[in-house]
Amino acid sequence: RSMNDTIAETLDTFNRLEKERADIDTLALSFGDVMAQVISSGLENSERRIGDALGRAVGAWLYLADAADDIDKDYKKGTYNPLLEQYKTPDAVRENFRSIDVSFGAWARDAHLALALADSNSFGRITDNILTLGLGDEAYRIMNKGSKK
């Protein structure tokens, strides 16, 4: 079985779960599985395990961030969004920021821990900065977008 076949199967699983309107955590982790396959493609042994962990965490974070960032647009268009499925309105999503932020934080932490296992390289400090500061700042920006000041 080729890596492309594995990625395609993982993507098919994600698409099926989205059509079934699975919960946000299931969808985020499934998208994380897709990213894990992409990032770890061609890697072996410990590098592959690190790539899997990093891809899974960053992919899950990205899926949640995209869903959160799109809540107003999806609500207006009536487009499926797993956060709206769970909380019903953009304001309710924002009111539940603390519980959503727990997931943002957990996946950012998992990405940071996976990266810490990798051999250091010239981009280590930049990547570390992105994972420790950038993801948190972006989550805060997304969840406060459109909130009443």
Side-chain angles (χ1 to χ4, degrees), residues 2-77:
S2 75
M3 183 56 65
N4 287 341
D5 290 340
T6 302
I7 292 170
E9 287 173 18
T10 308
L11 190 55
D12 286 345
T13 299
F14 167 75
N15 288 330
R16 178 183 50 77
L17 288 169
E18 200 165 49
K19 284 179 186 167
E20 292 171 358
R21 296 185 173 214
D23 65 88
I24 185 72
D25 290 328
T26 300
L27 288 166
L29 289 171
S30 182
F31 187 75
D33 289 342
V34 173
M35 291 298 295
Q37 292 296 324
V38 171
I39 288 176
S40 65
S41 177
L43 300 177
E44 296 179 357
N45 303 321
S46 64
E47 286 182 342
R48 181 170 183 82
R49 287 189 297 277
I50 292 166
D52 280 343
L54 183 61
R56 190 166 292 108
V58 171
W61 189 96
L62 286 170
Y63 186 84
L64 179 60
D66 183 60
D69 201 29
D70 290 348
I71 57 173
D72 292 310
K73 176 186 66 135
D74 291 343
Y75 185 75
K76 287 176 187 168
K77 290 184 174 182

Side-chain angles (χ1 to χ4, degrees), residues 102-140:
V102 168
S103 294
F104 273 130
W107 289 321
R109 182 202 66 232
D110 288 353
H112 191 313
L113 290 173
L115 187 65
L117 296 173
D119 292 333
S120 62
N121 58 53
S122 59
F123 298 107
R125 292 182 69 201
I126 294 169
T127 307
D128 185 58
N129 186 47
I130 291 167
L131 293 177
T132 56
L133 300 175
L135 293 184
D137 289 349
E138 184 62 7
Y140 184 80

Side-chain angles (χ1 to χ4, degrees), residues 24 62-97 100 104 138-148:
I24 185 72
L62 286 170
Y63 186 84
L64 179 60
D66 183 60
D69 201 29
D70 290 348
I71 57 173
D72 292 310
K73 176 186 66 135
D74 291 343
Y75 185 75
K76 287 176 187 168
K77 290 184 174 182
T79 305
Y80 173 71
N81 182 309
L83 288 172
L84 293 172
E85 190 81 8
Q86 181 173 349
Y87 296 108
K88 308 302 180 213
T89 68
D91 287 340
V93 172
R94 287 185 194 91
E95 289 168 10
N96 287 281
F97 173 69
I100 296 166
F104 273 130
E138 184 62 7
Y140 184 80
R141 181 201 65 79
I142 289 168
M143 293 309 298
N144 284 293
K145 183 174 82 172
S147 64
K148 294 170 181 77

